[in-house]
Amino acid sequence: NHAQERLLDGTVLVDLPRPSVLITDAYTALDRQLTGGKRAREGMLIDEVMRTVSRGGNVLLPVDSTGRVFELMAVLDAYWTQHNLKQYTLAFLSPESRSIVDMAASQVEWLSKHVSQMFVHSRKNVFHFQHLQRCSSRKELSRLVQPQVVLASG
C-alpha cells in the first residue's frame, strides 16, 4: 500500500535496507492528473452505481476478497448510510463472505492509526457495516430486494 487509504496507512520504507533496485507498481502514478485522485474516482464510481440502480439496473463489481474490497465496502456502505438507501440492496457475495468480514473486523489494530484510534475511543468498528448484506450463495442473494449492487468474489 503506497499511499494513505481509508483503512490502511501508507508504506513506510525507512526501516528497510537500501535496495539496489526497488520495483513498485506505477499504476496510480498519474492518478491525480488523470482522474482527480481517490475521492474523484470514488465519486465517479458512486455516480455510475446510483445512475444504474435508479433506473432499475443491477451493478456487479467483481472483486478480490482481500484488500481493496474492504475499501469499496466502506465507501459504498458509508454512502448508503449517509443517504438512507434502503430501497437498493448492497451485498458482498462470496462463499466465505461472513468469515472474510469477521476476520477483518477482528484485526482493526492492523489498520490506519485513524481507524485504530476511532475503535479505541468509540468502539466503532469500520467493518460493522449498516447496509452491506453478506451472502454465501446466489440463492441467498436472489432473496434480497432488487436493484442490487453486488461485490462478488470467488
Side-chain angles (χ1 to χ4, degrees), residues 24-63:
T24 64
D25 90 66
Y27 179 72
T28 58
L30 300 175
D31 181 53
R32 188 168 301 281
Q33 294 166 340
L34 297 176
T35 64
K38 181 175 65 167
R39 292 212 188 278
R41 257 193 344 266
E42 290 173 357
M44 289 187 295
L45 172 66
I46 288 171
D47 289 346
E48 192 59 38
V49 164
M50 294 312 300
R51 188 173 14 262
T52 303
V53 296
S54 68
R55 294 177 180 162
N58 295 314
V59 177
L60 174 63
L61 297 166
V63 295

Side-chain angles (χ1 to χ4, degrees), residues 49 52-53 56-60 80 87-91 135 138 140-151:
V49 164
T52 303
V53 296
N58 295 314
V59 177
L60 174 63
W80 254 242
Q87 69 272 34
Y88 308 124
T89 294
L90 176 61
C135 301
R138 288 176 37 199
E140 253 183 278
L141 182 66
S142 70
R143 295 183 194 128
L144 301 176
V145 175
Q146 290 200 20
Q148 299 175 341
V149 177
V150 180
L151 296 109

